[in-house]
Amino acid sequence: MFLTMMKRSVSRGWRKKALAVLTVALGTSLAVATLNIAMDVGDKVNRELKSYGANILVTPQVEKLEDGDFSPMGGGQSFLPEDRIPQLKMIFWKHNIIGFAPYLKSEAALPGGEKVIITGTWFRQLLVIPTGETVTTGVRDIKSWWQAEGDWPDFGTNEAMVGEKLAGKLSLKPGDFLVIVLSGKKYELKIRGVLSSSGEEDEQVLVNLAWLQAATESKGKISSIEVSALTMPRNDLARKAELIGPDNLSRDEFETWYCSPFIDSVIYQIEEVIPGAWARPIRQITDSEGAILSRIQALMSLLSLAAAVISVLSISSLMGATALERSREIGLLKALGAHNSSVIRLFLVEACFIGVIGGIIGLWAGFGLGTFIGQSIFGTSISFKPLAIPAAFAVSAGVALLGSLSAARMISQLQPARILVGSLANG
Amino acid sequence: MGAGSGKLIEIKGLWKTYGTVHALKNVNLSVKTGEWVSIMGPSGSGKTTLLNIIGCMDTPTQGHIILDGTDLSSLDQRQLTEIRRDKIGLIFQQFHLIPHLTALENVMIAQYYHSMADKAEALEALGRVGLRNRANHMPGQLSGGEQQRVCIARALINYPRLVLADEPTGNLDEVNEKIVVKLLEELHMEGHTIIIVTHDPWVGSLGDYQVYLEHGSIKSTVEATGT
Amino acid sequence: MDRHWFLLRLIALTFARRRSRVAIAFTAITIGVAIVSGLANVYLDVGQKMTRELRAYGANLVLSPAFPEKDPYLFLAQIAEIQKKLPPDQLIGYAPYLYGDASVGSRSVLLAGTNFEQVKKTSPYWKITGSTGAPVGEHPAVVGETVAKRLGIKAGDRVTLTATASKVDVTVIGIVSTGGKEDDLILVDLDVAGELLQKPGMANAVYLSIAATPAQLDSVTQELQGQFPALTASPIRQISQAEGQILRRIESLVLFAVAIILVLTLLCLAITMMNAVMERRLEIGLKKALGRQDIEIAAEFMIEGAVLGLAGGILGWGLGLLVAQGIGQSVFHSSIAVRLPVLLLAVALATGLAVVAAFVPARFASRIRPAIVLKGE
Ligand SMILES: Nc1ncnc2c1ncn2[C@@H]1O[C@H](COP(=O)(O)OP(=O)(O)OP(=O)(O)O)[C@@H](O)[C@H]1O
Ligand SMILES: [Mg+2]
């Protein structure tokens, strides 16, 4: 009997039901879209924030000097081994390492006797990882704000970039040659471009790392590495690890910490693979990043919440209206002896039907919408988050049920006598 | 008695078809001003359809109805609505009062639509149907008979030339039936033209004549014998 | 005119007596408008808010002498003048730096003089460990992590800094770790450094943190450049360029989300309002039977819609302010500016929507056949 009534009730107001399905579908799709974006926005914005530059600096460990002079400029007592760089792409969070560049700094003399800092680095270089993968990275990738007038030096040549200020001082332009003296020997560098970095590099000469290593007889040695890694904002565990040191965490906590892309755990893993390295966060980047990320995620979560509230609201009014419209029928059912619960059950089953159908449609539409939005804002598609499926189902079922609550309340308050009097009263 | 001067309604060759159902088949009828006509016949014979077409609520498929000198088939919806407002009073079997308005307001809304709401006049009309003291009650608080009387008060508030009633006593008990019939008789005495659809032989016999419909055609017309 | 008072009374009665149904529509309008106007407020403010948030990245403009070969110093008097030129609500902080060589014992170090108060504002990311206050009457110093490791300096130590002609005792109040050039510096107060290096009242550069969009920052730069030809103002592109990009992305993200919710809300409202009128088709049929013209019935419903929309719009706007403040407080820890145009938008939106939603069924009134509707089912 219940089934027959269900069937009739479904076939009766099919337009209204279609409208309800449409509303749930719309609500769900929008909630799913915002939810999906909210889930992925961290990743997306994280990548965007990488345009601020590298967030990890790796240098050789410093030891306390017992005696002798220490000049921060002359420095360079210890080095890192260049052949360990590929290891960066083999740590646990290797996919989060999105770029890096090694540096070797030295002091050169200009023909006039003036001192100038010469930096050897990778401009953009192909690197083969022992696992067989290849990566292309270098300063051009991690310093997106660097601009070159002219061109960038080719790999394996004696071509150089000259900082904008230095170029101004010496009136150099791309295509010119620059003579420098490095550890007593004279070299001629071909200037490929003039670099504008709005930083200290504007007063330096940049050359290929291999060239500088050869010239200074420091093959395989580098003085620092800048790493650009995707990390997640610090949480309580991360702060605890920072406070007491990761090695003092309990086993489980350490496991969790190690397997979360916190800046500190990525740093820990880098230090593991590069012997003698001291990796540390570039706080200007990492700290700000965390703040910005959590803001944006909070904002997006609130927006998803708003979308869900609106969905509940629309279903609620729709179901409420349906119940009102059918109050005559409900009154009759109750007059015939139906319990509140059985009438409400009729409505709830209906609501579930609507919720499930609308939810399925909305889920797909939502993914489509999310992808579209991701595509148009970030230029890359929003990755499919499996967690969004149960979330979407929860949302649509919740929306439909919560939305039917007002209808259910109305049904139980309805007095059959009042409904059956006067035919317009059902209007 | 009651036979007025001119013809108020003249129906010629009227057909009404719903898809394949012929609700009315070639109906010819004329009603003079001041007459009381009872329309009778078995269920589904087309009584309501005929009344709706006379009442400008429906349009014929074929044929002509001339109401008070105007051919309804030449009018558009707007003009039909005006005629309904100015010349016709409707009484329904299901009363059809607006549920969120009081009896008085239900009468006044018809007044307002016609010309101007006038509370005193509306109260007087309710007084006439014996409901002056129930004026501020909602339809839900009135019995079926009382609701029907409000409906009558609403129908006569604008002094319509033609009163159309579709089974006005169908939902009422004997006592209320008598009250309603008495009201209709009074209206008739005042010169209103009345067309009433009914299944009740006694109510039908009160008319000047009775029109019997069967399968959409007029089977017979019977002059009143009694009162 | 007198005649139409009755209509207004009728509408008032309709509201008063159909409370539960009116409440559904009213709630829908109110919540809908609250969310939309709240989000609109947030959207209009998000750029400004994020601009401030992004100041966490530190200084975005640096002032340095225009001709460093001739005169490598800026004068503090000049800096004070510049500071006055900048709008105070946009200037987050300004930190002057004076660099020079000094030595600790036999080891040479890089010394920087600055203003610690301002550094907190221009470089909020500095992590200073072991921070203790300097005892009264002593000069505080902050030592970079690398230097501290090399020289074995800890917070609380007293260090004697020597330069060509003079020496000064400082107390190390903390070790700074930034992962940047500060790690190689010993930082002291500008006055102390000025005296030690014999450059009193001078600085090599001033770092400014200005809450401004990249375009605004460019115009500030040009203005300063024009007014003070003796110095070069240059945006720190690492910061300003990335900022522009991030801001654009975030703004469009929020815009999308707000647009989605707006569409959803409008649809939901339209459905609710249409329902509210549709369920009254018997009433429409009866009114038609009583001789009311279609457009007159439409007008009745539209007036109802307008009243409902107006009230719901205003109340919704008020609630929307709460929504906006809620978001502002929980996301940005600051309040969202109240914008009057949003009120107008909210009211216009709600009223327009309610009227249009009433218009659709009213148009549908012309298709209602009173004979059929009144027949019952
Ligand atoms: N809207 C419609 N669509 C299709 N058929 C209709 C419609 N309205 C009426 N009919 C048909 O037209 C015929 C006449 O109907 P009508 O309502 O006039 O009968 P009636 O004489 O008033 O019957 P009752 O005494 O039961 O009220 C019936 O067969 C009915 O099924
Ligand atoms: Mg009938």
Side-chain angles (χ1 to χ4, degrees):
Chain A
M1 187 56 209
F2 181 73
L3 276 182
T4 325
M5 285 193 25
M6 246 346 277
K7 240 187 272 167
R8 272 217 355 188
S9 141
V10 167
S11 58
R12 243 180 58 121
W14 70 268
R15 264 162 191 264
K16 186 136 275 171
K17 247 132 263 177
L19 201 62
V21 167
L22 195 75
T23 318
V24 178
L26 252 167
T28 316
S29 71
L30 299 184
V32 167
T34 38
L35 198 72
N36 211 23
I37 296 173
M39 282 175 167
D40 208 36
V41 79
D43 208 46
K44 286 277 173 293
V45 175
N46 212 332
R47 269 171 202 279
E48 287 299 323
L49 290 173
K50 286 290 142 290
S51 57
Y52 275 107
N55 51 356
I56 297 172
L57 178 67
V58 189
T59 55
Q61 272 162 13
V62 271
E63 264 117 49
K64 190 172 173 241
L65 294 177
E66 287 311 326
D67 46 31
D69 270 9
F70 161 58
S71 142
M73 286 280 106
Q77 292 88 349
S78 46
F79 296 96
L80 292 170
E82 188 189 3
D83 58 1
R84 302 296 290 194
I85 293 178
Q87 300 284 328
L88 287 173
K89 287 299 272 182
M90 292 170 72
I91 63 169
F92 185 84
W93 283 108
K94 54 182 177 277
H95 295 301
N96 283 35
I97 306 282
I98 57 171
F100 43 84
Y103 301 95
L104 178 65
K105 285 194 188 197
S106 187
E107 211 171 48
L110 293 173
E114 235 177 302
K115 298 258 155 116
V116 67
I117 294 176
I118 181 163
T119 304
T121 186
W122 294 357
F123 291 101
R124 180 173 284 163
Q125 195 153 324
L126 183 83
L127 182 68
V128 182
I129 314 293
T131 55
E133 285 169 273
T134 57
V135 267
T136 309
T137 188
V139 279
R140 289 175 64 186
D141 294 302
I142 65 171
K143 300 204 186 262
S144 59
W145 65 95
W146 278 16
Q147 287 169 3
E149 183 204 326
D151 211 343
W152 294 90
D154 285 326
F155 172 67
T157 61
N158 67 337
E159 292 168 340
M161 294 298 285
V162 181
E164 165 174 73
K165 286 186 184 159
L166 185 67
K169 211 154 42 175
L170 305 177
S171 12
L172 292 168
K173 52 184 194 310
D176 289 352
F177 288 88
L178 174 68
V179 177
I180 56 161
V181 180
L182 255 177
S183 30
K185 274 190 231 148
K186 245 189 194 164
Y187 295 95
E188 197 181 44
L189 294 171
K190 183 176 186 224
I191 295 168
R192 241 356 245 288
V194 172
L195 172 71
S196 153
S197 75
S198 78
E200 56 186 16
E201 295 82 2
D202 283 353
E203 292 171 66
Q204 301 179 356
V205 178
L206 277 81
V207 292
N208 276 303
L209 177 66
W211 185 88
L212 189 65
Q213 283 171 337
T216 55
E217 284 164 17
S218 41
K219 223 166 173 40
K221 292 179 184 167
I222 50 175
S223 44
S224 65
I225 312 170
E226 278 183 359
V227 182
S228 199
L230 294 177
T231 58
M232 84 185 205
R234 285 200 176 91
N235 63 8
D236 288 340
L237 178 63
R239 276 187 284 272
K240 185 175 173 191
E242 196 188 9
L243 199 68
I244 64 171
D247 296 323
N248 298 329
L249 290 173
S250 76
R251 244 194 107 71
D252 282 353
E253 277 178 335
F254 181 80
E255 203 94 308
T256 319
W257 178 82
Y258 192 87
C259 299
S260 307
F262 297 125
I263 183 81
D264 304 307
S265 41
V266 173
I267 280 174
Y268 188 90
Q269 291 163 14
I270 291 176
E271 286 183 346
E272 277 179 338
V273 295
I274 304 182
W278 174 33
R280 57 206 146 124
I282 300 176
R283 293 195 181 266
Q284 178 178 20
I285 307 300
T286 52
D287 286 24
S288 327
E289 209 166 82
I292 304 280
L293 271 183
S294 38
R295 295 271 184 284
I296 293 174
Q297 271 170 336
L299 189 64
M300 284 313 290
S301 320
L302 285 176
L303 290 179
S304 323
L305 187 73
V309 166
I310 283 288
S311 309
V312 170
L313 182 77
S314 50
I315 297 303
S316 175
S317 54
L318 207 64
M319 294 302 284
T322 315
L324 272 174
E325 196 186 26
R326 288 167 59 190
S327 53
R328 201 161 136 89
E329 180 192 333
I330 296 164
L332 186 63
L333 283 176
K334 285 175 85 167
L336 291 177
H339 282 295
N340 270 338
S341 59
S342 58
V343 182
I344 289 174
R345 199 172 55 197
L346 195 71
F347 265 73
L348 287 190
V349 171
E350 215 177 290
C352 282
F353 257 135
I354 292 171
V356 167
I357 298 175
I360 291 172
I361 300 174
L363 192 66
W364 290 113
F367 278 130
L369 195 65
T371 310
F372 168 72
I373 293 173
Q375 196 66 255
S376 42
I377 298 181
F378 297 107
T380 52
S381 60
I382 294 280
S383 62
F384 181 88
K385 300 272 171 183
L387 186 63
I389 294 183
F393 267 107
V395 167
S396 58
V399 159
L401 282 178
L402 251 150
S404 314
L405 228 58
S406 67
R409 217 185 57 114
M410 220 207 66
I411 291 168
S412 51
Q413 284 177 355
L414 202 111
Q415 308 239 319
R418 284 203 40 194
I419 293 307
L420 296 174
V421 170
S423 59
L424 261 183
N426 71 332
Chain B
M1 56 184 247
S5 44
K7 277 179 190 165
L8 183 63
I9 304 166
E10 175 86 60
I11 299 173
K12 286 187 238 164
L14 181 68
W15 287 74
K16 179 71 188 179
T17 316
Y18 294 111
T20 56
V21 181
H22 295 288
L24 292 173
K25 288 183 270 192
N26 194 23
V27 172
N28 293 288
L29 182 70
S30 69
V31 179
K32 295 197 192 78
T33 307
E35 268 183 334
W36 172 327
V37 181
S38 302
I39 299 179
M40 304 185 73
S43 187
S45 55
K47 306 181 293 293
T48 301
T49 308
L50 179 59
L51 203 68
N52 281 342
I53 291 175
I54 298 172
C56 304
M57 302 222 288
D58 211 345
T59 46
T61 312
Q62 210 187 315
H64 291 274
I65 315 144
I66 293 133
L67 176 66
D68 207 12
T70 334
D71 188 344
L72 297 186
S73 49
S74 68
L75 302 183
D76 62 16
Q77 278 298 328
R78 222 191 131 72
Q79 290 162 320
L80 287 174
T81 305
E82 269 169 34
I83 292 197
R84 212 152 57 214
R85 186 183 72 198
D86 296 338
K87 300 192 172 163
I88 297 169
L90 289 166
I91 301 169
F92 310 95
Q93 181 177 359
Q94 277 116 356
F95 330 136
H96 292 316
L97 299 175
I98 296 178
H100 56 267
L101 298 182
T102 61
L104 179 66
E105 287 153 1
N106 263 291
V107 177
M108 282 169 78
I109 199 170
Q111 261 182 326
Y112 165 70
Y113 286 171
H114 180 265
S115 49
M116 197 168 161
D118 181 340
K119 192 171 172 183
E121 207 183 352
L123 275 173
E124 199 184 302
L126 280 175
R128 229 183 120 179
V129 298
L131 288 173
R132 202 179 176 114
N133 56 339
R134 310 297 300 270
N136 291 322
H137 285 216
M138 308 300 278
Q141 297 166 320
L142 299 174
S143 76
E146 286 160 349
Q147 288 188 54
Q148 189 58 294
R149 274 140 68 190
V150 175
C151 187
I152 292 172
R154 181 177 67 188
L156 57 82
I157 190 73
N158 296 322
Y159 305 101
R161 299 205 57 190
L162 178 61
V163 174
L164 300 176
D166 193 352
E167 300 184 39
T169 58
N171 278 342
L172 305 180
D173 70 349
E174 240 172 275
V175 179
N176 277 303
E177 185 180 34
K178 291 226 166 80
I179 297 173
V180 167
V181 163
K182 198 165 156 282
L183 283 168
L184 288 175
E185 279 178 327
E186 279 173 34
L187 292 181
H188 185 220
M189 302 280 266
E190 282 164 20
H192 291 280
T193 308
I194 294 173
I195 301 182
I196 177 171
V197 169
T198 183
H199 283 290
D200 189 317
W202 173 70
V203 176
S205 71
L206 297 170
D208 293 332
Y209 56 92
Q210 300 156 23
V211 176
Y212 281 92
L213 279 179
E214 212 172 290
H215 300 303
S217 314
I218 297 178
K219 199 182 132 211
S220 61
T221 310
V222 180
E223 294 282 335
T225 43
T227 339
Chain C
M1 187 60 236
D2 202 27
R3 161 170 192 242
H4 296 295
W5 274 116
F6 182 73
L7 180 65
L8 295 182
R9 242 193 73 208
L10 273 189
I11 289 172
L13 287 175
T14 305
F15 281 137
R17 305 224 182 103
R18 301 177 79 249
R19 242 174 262 146
S20 66
R21 284 149 223 242
V22 171
I24 290 180
F26 186 74
T27 317
I29 292 182
T30 309
I31 299 184
V33 170
I35 289 186
V36 168
S37 70
L39 292 187
N41 265 324
V42 169
Y43 169 66
L44 291 175
D45 234 22
V46 78
Q48 221 197 343
K49 285 274 180 295
M50 286 313 291
T51 306
R52 276 186 186 266
E53 291 295 331
L54 290 168
R55 294 290 81 251
Y57 278 105
N60 51 359
L61 185 67
V62 57
L63 303 177
S64 53
F67 311 103
E69 299 83 20
K70 270 198 275 170
D71 179 13
Y73 297 103
L74 297 166
F75 292 91
L76 290 182
Q78 211 174 3
I79 295 167
E81 210 175 307
I82 293 167
Q83 187 216 334
K84 269 184 235 135
K85 284 273 181 331
L86 294 166
D89 56 325
Q90 281 192 341
L91 182 65
I92 305 284
Y94 64 100
Y97 281 92
L98 174 68
Y99 300 105
D101 291 322
S103 51
V104 175
S106 60
R107 290 154 213 150
S108 76
V109 293
L110 259 182
L111 181 73
T114 187
N115 179 336
F116 289 125
E117 280 309 308
Q118 290 297 328
V119 163
K120 272 186 209 152
K121 293 176 192 158
T122 55
S123 310
Y125 51 87
W126 278 24
K127 188 192 170 202
I128 298 181
T129 45
S131 175
T132 57
V136 189
E138 290 191 29
H139 300 301
V142 172
V143 179
E145 194 177 13
T146 316
V147 183
K149 279 192 180 175
R150 289 232 162 97
L151 304 186
I153 298 174
K154 294 184 299 299
D157 287 358
R158 288 179 56 112
V159 174
T160 308
L161 292 168
T162 338
T164 33
S166 54
K167 58 164 72 177
V168 66
D169 286 340
V170 293
T171 307
V172 178
I173 57 166
I175 307 296
V176 66
S177 130
T178 67
K181 65 177 192 298
E182 294 82 6
D183 288 0
D184 296 324
L185 294 174
I186 293 185
L187 295 126
V188 294
D189 270 330
L190 194 61
D191 304 343
V192 177
E195 222 166 284
L196 193 66
L197 301 170
Q198 294 180 317
K199 307 279 184 234
M202 295 184 220
N204 291 95
V206 182
Y207 286 86
L208 301 171
S209 178
I210 297 172
T213 60
Q216 288 171 327
L217 191 65
D218 277 346
S219 71
V220 168
T221 309
Q222 263 157 31
E223 220 169 284
L224 287 179
Q225 198 72 83
Q227 285 173 354
F228 303 94
L231 56 85
T232 320
S234 43
I236 302 177
R237 242 196 355 262
Q238 178 182 7
I239 305 302
S240 64
Q241 187 173 311
E243 191 162 306
Q245 197 174 330
I246 297 277
L247 271 180
R248 266 197 306 282
R249 298 277 151 100
I250 292 174
E251 271 179 339
S252 47
L253 188 68
V254 175
L255 180 64
F256 258 109
V258 171
I260 283 180
I261 293 172
L262 181 80
V263 168
L264 182 58
T265 312
L266 293 191
L267 265 165
C268 149
L269 276 190
I271 290 173
T272 312
M273 292 301 292
M274 267 165 66
N275 251 314
V277 184
M278 289 280 205
E279 65 173 18
R280 288 165 76 184
R281 62 184 194 284
L282 264 164
E283 197 183 317
I284 296 177
L286 178 73
K287 284 178 172 172
K288 282 185 83 164
L290 291 179
R292 193 66 161 165
Q293 296 292 358
D294 295 339
I295 44 162
E296 292 171 319
I297 296 176
E300 283 177 31
F301 277 93
M302 275 155 70
I303 293 173
E304 275 188 38
V307 172
L308 205 62
L310 210 64
I314 293 173
L315 185 62
W317 174 76
L319 287 176
L321 284 185
L322 294 183
V323 170
Q325 296 314 340
I327 293 180
Q329 289 299 342
S330 63
V331 177
F332 301 111
H333 307 295
S334 64
S335 56
I336 301 274
V338 176
R339 280 163 214 262
L340 216 55
V342 175
L343 170 65
L344 300 182
L345 174 96
V347 172
L349 196 78
T351 313
L353 198 78
V355 168
V356 170
F359 181 76
V360 173
R363 241 211 54 206
F364 154 96
S366 63
R367 283 193 290 131
I368 283 187
R369 296 272 176 151
I372 292 172
V373 179
L374 294 180
K375 212 159 94 181
E377 283 302 299

